[in-house]
Amino acid sequence: MRAHEAGALHAEGYGGPPIWLPYPGDVMELLPQLWPSTIGRDADGRLTVGGVDVVTLAREFGTPAYVLDEEDFRMRARAFRDGFAAPFEPVSGRADIYYAGKAFLCTAVARWVAEEGLCLDVCSGGELAVAQRAGFPAERIGLHGNNKSVAELEQAVSYGVGRIVVDSFEEIERLADVARRHGAVAPVMIRVTVGVEAHTHEFIATGHEDQKFGFSLQNGQAAQAARAVLRHSDALRLGGLHSHIGSQIFDTGGFELAARRLVQLHAAVCAEHGIAMEEIDLGGGFGIAYTSQHTPMAPGELGAQLADLVEREFTAIGDDPSSWPRVSVEPGRAIVGPSTVTLYEVGTIKEVDLGDGHARTYVSVDGGMSDNVRTALYEADYSCTLASRRSDAAPRLSRVVGKHCESGDIVVLDEYLPADLRPGDLIAVPGTGAYCRALSSQYNHTPRPPVIAVRDGSARVLVRRETVDDLLALDLG
Ligand SMILES: *Cc1c(COP(=O)(O)O)cnc(C)c1O
């Protein structure tokens, strides 16, 4: 579904629940797989995260607010680090985990990533600037993107980032020029379009690729890109091959095909030029649970399956195991997504008659598509719960909508909330750590919410709330 103009978007529905959404036995229940690991309720039914109750958070910091559970984020970062290290040790010596900063990045999060021993993937000069401000070690940063500017390449080369993923023939020439000007040899990986497109449970193997990223395998472009990089041996060093097949993926079939194609290309390029390339990158895209319909793999299970399938591909090629490159992956959503909940205050509640005796309850909150555009953009499913008190009222199927001037401004398409929900209640939406603040806007001149980190019973602001003055400061009259 695409973003749409104002109109009767879901008017075709009769207001019934989707088949994956069961009528809840307890409307206050919290499914552990949806929430940060420190989630709970206190004696009055108030949600607590990181040892802080959300009523206190709302009073102190206002709503809407993104509440980020620091311990949960760190725990997921470590789960990837350790869950990949052990199974990959016998295959490729080690596995590097690049946190994909585009999912959400601020200086504190960059520091946590560094402290937990992960690397960092950025895809713009702005994201790189955050990493620089945080003092993130340059050699553990990768830069990718299909249209990096010369200024961005210069920023990366002068900071000394550990790898630049080149995406076009033009960029190879541009980067070689930049590196020469800086008297540097830039470490390069080649973004390969592996002909695999993965969406959640199924993947599609495509013969040719109609998309903007990378060098195609099909017509020999990727091998040609390797030749182009190697021609600039005074300015570029070819370190490996890179792929990324999609997002919110729940099984490893697509990665298996991608790994096969990368391993074959790796062997072909090394043989053609008599070189070694130390790394292949399988990208990110590991799925998380937004609702009860999603069943993600634990990082350790994912690491074991990927190590197993990569080993099979290396073995099939028949190369000496000592020449096998190390493997890296780039999880974004799977680390930061479940760490964060968005707190909203309930405003208007409306019962809308859908005809034929059907009705839909619209619960309006004080944010919306400006702080979470994923529902409007992708028809993404979310869940939510009453967060500020206990209720014994019957569950009522509800649609949570924002305050913006667009009928597609929906936060949670379908969820059971207590029938006694009223203005002033707080609701919490889990799984909003990835691609919510990162994709936020100031639509309707709405200042963007703060990001509040909670841990061990205390809260601190990582990114402050925007103000109308911030917005007006850009307006020069
Ligand atoms: C977006 C992206 C990622 C992260 O994707 P997630 O779905 O957040 O894991 C990793 N690598 C590249 C190249 C990307 O573009």
Side-chain angles (χ1 to χ4, degrees):
M1 191 195 76
R2 276 176 285 276
H4 37 266
E5 301 296 322
L9 170 61
H10 292 281
E12 74 279 3
Y14 67 94
I19 49 175
W20 54 263
L21 184 64
Y23 186 86
D26 173 8
V27 75
M28 302 297 282
E29 188 193 356
L30 302 169
L31 293 181
Q33 68 268 35
L34 308 187
W35 295 90
S37 48
T38 67
I39 202 76
R41 283 195 199 272
D42 68 13
D44 299 318
R46 289 184 294 228
L47 211 61
T48 62
V49 196
V52 190
D53 83 80
V54 299
V55 174
T56 303
L57 287 174
R59 200 177 300 129
E60 199 167 327
F61 303 107
T63 56
Y66 303 104
V67 181
L68 197 176
D69 181 342
E70 177 177 349
E71 195 43 55
D72 184 87
F73 180 99
R74 288 178 181 271
M75 182 270 290
R76 287 178 209 276
R78 286 194 296 271
F80 269 95
R81 183 193 70 197
D82 300 340
F84 276 63
F88 272 98
E89 203 273 326
V91 181
S92 60
R94 67 171 215 244
D96 287 332
I97 311 295
Y98 281 77
Y99 171 65
K102 74 173 201 242
F104 174 68
L105 195 63
C106 64
T107 52
V109 161
R111 276 186 220 106
W112 302 347
V113 170
E115 285 162 14
E116 298 301 340
L118 273 63
C119 304
L120 179 66
D121 173 51
V122 297
C123 61
S124 71
E127 288 176 10
L128 180 54
V130 176
Q132 289 176 273
R133 169 78 68 90
F136 201 97
E139 66 281 2
R140 281 159 57 194
I141 298 177
L143 173 67
H144 80 273
N146 69 302
N147 188 27
K148 306 172 202 78
S149 67
V150 170
E152 288 171 320
L153 294 174
E154 281 181 337
Q155 187 184 347
V157 169
S158 61
Y159 193 54
V161 307
R163 54 184 224 189
I164 297 173
V165 182
V166 294
D167 205 289
S168 68
F169 290 109
E170 276 167 342
E171 186 180 57
I172 292 170
E173 302 308 313
R174 241 179 254 147
L175 180 59
D177 283 349
V178 167
R180 271 184 209 112
R181 253 186 278 131
H182 285 260
V185 177
V188 163
M189 293 181 83
I190 291 170
R191 171 72 180 258
V192 180
T193 316
V194 286
V196 180
E197 212 188 306
H199 302 283
T200 55
H201 288 287
E202 80 283 10
F203 70 90
I204 310 163
T206 50
H208 55 277
E209 283 289 329
D210 188 6
Q211 59 129 317
K212 68 177 185 172
F213 288 109
F215 294 95
S216 175
L217 271 180
Q218 222 41 33
N219 52 10
Q221 276 203 342
Q224 211 180 315
R227 282 176 219 125
V229 169
L230 291 165
R231 268 199 294 279
H232 294 291
S233 59
D234 61 318
L236 306 178
R237 190 179 61 74
L238 182 56
L241 306 173
H242 179 281
S243 69
H244 174 70
I245 60 171
S247 263
Q248 189 64 351
I249 303 167
F250 288 98
D251 70 32
T252 52
F255 290 104
E256 181 165 16
L257 196 49
R260 179 168 312 147
R261 292 178 175 173
L262 278 192
V263 165
Q264 285 169 356
L265 179 66
H266 180 271
V269 169
C270 291
E272 178 182 337
H273 303 282
I275 57 164
M277 277 191 291
E278 70 262 18
E279 187 177 7
I280 62 171
D281 191 308
L282 294 174
F286 313 118
I288 65 166
Y290 288 104
T291 69
S292 61
Q293 72 193 301
H294 302 126
T295 49
M297 237 180 268
E301 173 61 20
L302 191 61
Q305 286 198 20
L306 290 183
D308 198 46
L309 67 87
V310 164
E311 181 170 26
R312 276 202 307 276
E313 299 308 328
F314 284 148
T315 307
I317 286 284
D319 276 356
D320 170 13
S322 68
S323 73
W324 290 356
R326 71 170 185 273
V327 174
S328 46
V329 291
E330 302 172 334
R333 184 194 316 267
I335 292 177
V336 73
S339 73
T340 299
V341 306
T342 307
L343 272 187
Y344 297 104
E345 185 178 306
V346 172
T348 303
I349 300 175
K350 253 187 215 172
E351 202 70 32
V352 174
D353 189 350
L354 302 181
D356 294 334
H358 297 299
R360 193 192 299 284
T361 301
Y362 278 87
V363 174
S364 297
V365 294
D366 52 354
M369 65 190 295
S370 55
D371 59 74
N372 184 354
V373 77
R374 292 190 65 258
T375 308
L377 205 53
Y378 313 121
E379 214 167 351
D381 288 314
Y382 280 92
S383 158
C384 64
T385 194
L386 171 60
S388 48
R389 63 182 171 90
R390 184 165 298 292
S391 168
D392 299 318
R396 178 174 62 185
L397 187 64
S398 304
R399 173 160 292 175
V400 179
V401 297
K403 58 177 286 182
H404 297 288
C405 298
E406 175 125 18
S407 58
D409 172 28
I410 297 167
V411 180
V412 181
L413 279 160
D414 299 286
E415 178 61 289
Y416 287 97
L417 287 166
D420 67 349
L421 198 74
R422 54 186 184 245
D425 281 337
L426 298 178
I427 63 167
V429 177
T432 57
Y435 308 107
C436 288
R437 182 57 171 74
L439 278 172
S440 65
S441 74
Q442 296 112 329
Y443 184 40
N444 296 145
H445 282 260
T446 307
R448 288 177 295 185
V451 181
I452 314 290
V454 289
R455 183 182 186 176
D456 298 334
S458 61
R460 70 180 170 115
V461 180
L462 301 187
V463 181
R464 74 159 166 83
R465 183 183 300 283
E466 240 168 14
T467 64
V468 170
D469 284 342
D470 287 330
L471 304 188
L472 284 174
L474 303 173
D475 183 336
L476 303 184

